[in-house]
Amino acid sequence: MSFALDGVGLTHANGFTALSDITLRANKGERIALIGPSGAGKTSLLSVLGTALAPTAGVAEILDFGQNLRLTAGLKALRPRIGTIHQAPPIPGRQRVVTAVLAGKLGQWPAWKSLASLLYPLDVAGARATLERLDLADKLFARCDQLSGGQLQRVGIARVLYQQAELILADEPVSALDPALALATARQLAADAEARGATLVASLHAVDLALNCFPRIVGIKAGRIAFDLPAGEVSEALLHDLYASEGQTLPTLANEPRFTTLAAANDPATRAACC
Amino acid sequence: MLLNPAPPRDPAARGRLSGALLALVILWPLFRAAEFKPGALFDSSNLKVIGHFLAGFLPPERGAEFLAYLGKATLETLAIATAGLALACVIAVPLGYLATAAGREQPTLNPLTRSLLTVLRGIPELVWALLFVRIFGLGPAAGVLALGLTYGGMLAKVYAEILESVDPAPAHALRRSGAGRLLAILYGLLPQASKELASYTVYRWECAIRASVVMGFVGAGGLGQLMDQAMKMLNGGEAASILLTFMLLVFAADGVSGWLRRALDTPPAARASPFGWRSISFLLVLPSAVIASFHWLEIDFGELFTAGAAHSIGEFVAGFFPPDLSSDWLARVGLGIWETLAISVVGTLLAAVAGLLLALPKWRAPFSFLLNTLRSVPELVWATITALAVGLGPFAGALALALHTTGVLGRLYAEALDNAPAAPGHALRLAGAPAGLSFLYGTLPGAAPQLIAYTLYRWEMNIRMAAILGFVGAGGLGQLLYFELSLFHHAQASTVIIAMLILSIAVDQTSAWLRQRLR
């Protein structure tokens, strides 16, 4: 088991309830997409899984770790095993790409190595190999404030790939990328998780991308789980119901021909090509 | 998968290494010249002297007679600072307007105004004060004029830079729709810059309080004169009372600055007049404070502009020309320049390290009081104490600079670290990085440009301060100047003043270049 949430609720200090009664389990190696309208609670759910926020109700067990205990020593051991891709890449502009990627291992490296790496990057080869998979190897020594938004987002992904986490949490990981690159990057992320047997949970705005790259789809609406189904069983009616507040059209990557119909998107051949 | 050739070397490594080596080659002789000997701090005989002196601090002097003196001197100091700053503003607003490129369609600098500002700023206020004391006699007039000139130059430069640093688009749009430059600045730039301008002005007022304290050392009245007497008689109790008064003044200035910033942040009320109770009371208090200050100090500026005064000024100034350029004297001045540079660099570097340590988030709370205390005592007063601790000489000067600058930089660093984006450090913590490393990899890079800029700006101020620390025996150019002026060797003094000017211009240029390079 990778994580198990049992009746988890999250109420912020200001009284706003972001999550209520979430029960969700994932086995090691599963790939789950979270979809739902904005404000539904996708980011909150990822924050609970990433130990950034402690649930205010229920029990959360993450990587066999009872999170509600909040033991600092335990968290210290747990956190290097969780990699989070943030929607806005949390990388200082003046940092170089190589340093930003290597920072993924700060929780695993001994302190001397992390300190020395500030003076001379100690694993240039590893950082470059990771960046190569995201088509960014040429930016290895560039400064992050020289990158475009899409490139920076991929640096954030590269950091988590380099971290080799057992549980990868991704919050809108490809929102700043154009459709073709978004698809390729989501595939890369899924392929990495599959190859290492890591669990991947990603919140995605584009429904077609979610259906294409993730075997399991969890729909979230108003802080609750609306449905939790294999991608093949997600019907158009369910989706329209989920996004009822956002109008008639479903959010998709773009109006590219192969993504226009959900039927085609659900086609096993397409999915095989994707993941 | 592509072929995977050997990983490339870090292309920046060579530059970093040579930069570090170069810094070492430059810093090593500077540390030598500053006679950097931390051991002297722990020398038993020095410890005994300073311990004895500090023990005398307790209890602070509370005699009614002394307190009456202290109250009068405090008022005098406040009045000198307020009157000096008012004069500075009168000078700074038009000069800043002329010097700034803000609101100009083609950003042309005004080289004439800029170089005038450089001369005004480049000569330390204490030197101006020393000269004015010679012209106008002992008393607060010399202090007010000296403050007005130096701070006028500083304020004008900073006003110009603040106006240039805000988003120019609103002013450009106004100009293109036909508004004049002044109106374009008032409507387009001032709303963005007002907070910064106000808090810098209040900060300068705080500095003016410290400076007017220092000017007492050359006979311009106020708390400084009292402090000078107390130190000369090694009267620790009186010194302690005076130091406590400094701190109160500086904390009060802090409070005013915070209140002003909050007031400027308050959204306007829903009525046509932009003036609320705060602005009206402020507009009433400010002019009355300025008028009261001039009145209290009994400065009659009319007297300064009579024919007799002009004649004596002319005679005095003529005495400074031509400067003594004999090779003997130039060699001594050159040595003084090198020593002054060493004091400023060593003092600033020590302060940067100590300030950063004290500004670290984890330790902040207990140390903010320490930082405020360090900051509220002027460098020259610290120098009289460090001279007791390590003996006369450049190291005492460097230590004094370091103590005061630690207080200033620590506070600025703490603010910069607070304002740096929190997300990168937080994300690293979530990925399991220890707190210290998340700081180094996540928070520090975001704050670094700010930290570097603050340090370099401070260095520009410290070079001016280092030039006058010699007045109390801390070596460098100040010692030469003080000595020659007291012997009425005006030609030699003139060389030293020119050297101070050149040194401060050179440091300004170096600092601007370093800021550009390290951005």
Side-chain angles (χ1 to χ4, degrees):
Chain A
M1 189 215 46
S2 183
F3 63 82
L5 305 181
D6 195 5
V8 159
L10 181 70
T11 305
H12 289 292
N14 60 12
F16 174 72
T17 301
L19 297 173
S20 42
D21 199 25
I22 299 273
T23 299
L24 189 67
R25 280 163 189 281
N27 290 321
K28 193 171 170 311
E30 272 200 86
R31 297 193 302 282
I32 304 175
L34 303 178
I35 59 172
S38 37
K42 303 187 293 282
T43 302
S44 299
L45 181 53
L46 288 172
S47 300
V48 168
L49 289 174
T51 75
L53 296 173
T56 48
V59 182
E61 206 176 304
I62 291 155
L63 296 176
D64 310 317
F65 206 90
Q67 199 209 331
N68 292 13
L69 294 172
R70 307 288 312 170
L71 286 175
T72 331
L75 267 186
K76 218 170 152 182
L78 172 65
R79 283 181 163 174
R81 300 164 63 195
I82 307 174
T84 308
I85 300 168
H86 300 260
Q87 188 172 5
I91 294 172
R94 293 181 77 254
Q95 201 159 57
R96 294 191 301 166
V97 170
V98 60
T99 317
V101 172
L102 294 184
K105 287 251 203 236
L106 287 184
Q108 298 157 44
W109 280 357
W112 68 263
K113 190 170 177 184
S114 308
L115 288 176
S117 194
L118 279 174
L119 300 178
Y120 188 94
L122 288 189
D123 187 12
V124 177
R128 197 177 64 148
T130 312
L131 287 168
E132 218 155 56
R133 289 159 59 189
L134 295 165
D135 209 16
L136 268 181
D138 55 326
K139 299 291 180 195
L140 182 60
F141 294 116
R143 245 169 64 165
C144 289
D145 52 10
Q146 295 164 343
L147 304 183
S148 71
Q151 287 169 334
L152 192 61
Q153 197 166 38
R154 281 181 286 155
V155 172
I157 295 174
R159 172 191 279 187
V160 171
L161 292 186
Y162 182 73
Q163 186 186 344
Q164 307 249 306
E166 290 166 53
L167 171 59
I168 300 177
L169 306 169
D171 191 1
E172 303 271 6
V174 292
S175 58
L177 306 181
D178 64 68
L181 201 52
L183 181 64
T185 307
R187 276 179 188 172
Q188 188 60 251
L189 202 54
D192 176 81
E194 193 172 27
R196 292 189 301 109
T199 313
L200 171 63
V201 184
S203 79
L204 291 166
H205 196 62
V207 173
D208 48 353
L209 190 63
L211 293 174
N212 266 284
C213 294
F214 291 81
R216 182 176 164 192
I217 309 289
V218 173
I220 310 237
K221 193 177 181 182
R224 291 172 184 277
I225 292 182
F227 59 80
D228 179 358
L229 294 168
E233 292 172 26
V234 176
S235 70
E236 204 155 337
L238 265 179
L239 290 172
H240 277 293
D241 192 36
L242 187 68
Y243 286 101
S245 58
E246 294 195 345
Q248 287 303 304
T249 46
L250 293 174
T252 55
L253 263 183
N255 294 325
E256 292 203 359
R258 54 189 164 152
F259 289 124
T260 39
T261 62
L262 279 169
N266 269 330
D267 182 24
T270 316
R271 214 160 50 239
C274 175
C275 304
Chain B
M1 198 78 185
L2 288 162
L3 272 178
N4 222 345
R9 297 244 184 107
D10 183 350
R14 182 192 291 258
R16 286 180 179 189
L17 187 67
S18 48
L21 283 178
L22 186 70
L24 215 65
V25 166
I26 294 175
L27 288 180
W28 176 248
L30 281 172
F31 269 77
R32 290 289 299 272
E35 295 171 16
F36 180 69
K37 282 189 294 271
L41 270 176
F42 305 103
D43 183 82
S44 64
S45 65
N46 284 339
L47 276 181
K48 208 181 277 174
V49 174
I50 189 83
H52 193 71
F53 178 69
L54 289 181
F57 269 45
L58 291 174
E61 175 70 43
R62 283 163 313 192
E65 198 189 351
F66 175 73
L67 284 188
Y69 274 127
L70 187 62
K72 192 166 161 286
T74 308
L75 278 182
E76 198 164 69
T77 292
L78 273 178
I80 294 176
T82 310
L85 201 70
L87 190 62
C89 283
V90 170
I91 295 174
V93 170
L95 285 184
Y97 177 75
L98 287 178
T100 184
R104 292 187 203 273
E105 301 226 44
Q106 271 146 4
T108 44
L109 303 178
N110 190 331
L112 200 69
T113 329
R114 293 243 159 183
S115 38
L116 174 63
L117 294 181
T118 311
V119 174
L120 287 180
R121 285 181 300 123
I123 299 178
E125 63 262 26
L126 202 57
V127 175
W128 283 118
L130 210 57
L131 298 180
F132 286 133
V133 163
R134 291 296 159 86
I135 301 178
F136 305 120
L138 292 177
V144 171
L145 279 178
L147 268 185
L149 286 187
T150 333
Y151 280 40
M154 287 185 197
L155 281 177
K157 176 185 178 237
V158 175
Y159 285 171
E161 280 177 0
I162 290 176
L163 286 177
E164 281 164 20
S165 69
V166 298
D167 179 15
H172 280 308
L174 286 172
R175 293 224 57 184
R176 261 181 246 117
S177 59
R181 179 164 172 248
L182 179 62
L183 284 177
I185 290 180
L186 286 179
Y187 273 74
L189 301 182
L190 209 59
Q192 307 178 65
S194 58
K195 229 168 74 173
E196 198 107 0
L197 292 173
S199 66
Y200 189 79
T201 311
V202 178
Y203 166 69
R204 270 289 141 200
W205 181 60
E206 184 195 313
C207 295
I209 293 177
R210 267 194 300 274
S212 57
V213 163
V214 165
M215 275 185 294
F217 279 78
V218 297
L223 280 173
Q225 213 151 339
L226 217 55
M227 186 74 187
D228 196 30
Q229 288 159 12
M231 296 303 272
K232 276 188 180 137
M233 295 187 296
L234 286 180
N235 190 332
E238 288 189 2
S241 295
I242 299 169
L243 285 180
L244 285 175
T245 317
F246 287 169
M247 283 173 208
L248 280 181
L249 283 180
V250 169
F251 290 156
D254 246 12
V256 172
S257 171
W259 178 81
L260 211 60
R261 287 181 78 97
R262 275 195 304 281
L264 286 169
D265 259 346
T266 318
R271 59 164 177 269
S273 159
F275 297 104
W277 65 270
R278 278 195 206 83
S279 4
I280 288 177
S281 54
F282 183 72
L283 287 179
L284 286 177
V285 167
L286 191 67
S288 34
V290 173
I291 293 169
S293 300
F294 277 103
H295 191 73
W296 170 269
L297 297 173
E298 295 169 356
I299 298 177
D300 185 3
F301 277 114
E303 235 170 68
L304 303 183
F305 298 108
T306 59
H311 184 69
S312 72
I313 293 175
E315 219 164 68
F316 180 73
V317 171
F320 281 85
F321 292 97
D324 181 356
L325 296 178
S326 65
S327 58
D328 241 21
W329 182 242
L330 281 184
R332 280 185 65 190
V333 170
L335 203 65
I337 289 183
W338 178 244
E339 212 165 76
T340 301
L341 190 66
I343 294 173
S344 76
V345 170
V346 172
T348 310
L349 277 181
L350 290 180
V353 173
L356 189 60
L357 287 178
L358 291 176
L360 286 182
K362 201 195 275 180
W363 296 353
R364 192 167 308 157
F367 286 123
S368 74
F369 179 75
L370 175 63
L371 289 177
N372 280 333
T373 311
L374 288 173
R375 188 167 61 94
S376 60
V377 178
E379 296 92 336
L380 215 60
V381 177
W382 277 126
T384 56
I385 297 175
T386 53
L388 286 178
V390 297
L392 291 176
F395 185 46
L399 268 186
L401 267 192
L403 283 171
H404 176 77
T405 311
T406 299
V408 178
L409 283 183
R411 194 179 114 106
L412 292 173
Y413 285 174
E415 273 171 22
L417 290 177
D418 266 350
N419 294 340
H426 187 67
L428 288 172
R429 296 284 287 271
L430 281 183
L437 290 172
S438 330
F439 173 77
L440 287 179
Y441 273 79
T443 314
L444 196 58
Q450 196 77 24
L451 300 188
I452 291 171
Y454 279 144
T455 315
L456 288 171
Y457 278 128
R458 201 59 219 177
W459 180 41
E460 291 177 27
M461 295 198 179
N462 281 349
I463 189 73
R464 295 174 170 80
M465 195 43 79
I468 55 173
L469 281 175
F471 285 24
V472 296
L477 287 175
Q479 206 155 337
L480 288 180
L481 182 66
Y482 197 66
F483 193 65
E484 298 304 327
L485 272 182
S486 44
L487 294 176
F488 297 97
H489 290 167
H490 287 168
Q492 281 78 8
S494 155
T495 320
V496 179
I497 294 178
I498 292 171
M500 284 180 178
L501 192 58
I502 292 173
L503 185 58
S504 68
I505 293 172
V507 165
D508 283 6
Q509 298 297 327
T510 315
S511 154
W513 177 79
L514 277 173
R515 274 202 302 277
Q516 195 68 37
R517 282 296 307 266
L518 296 173
R519 184 169 291 166

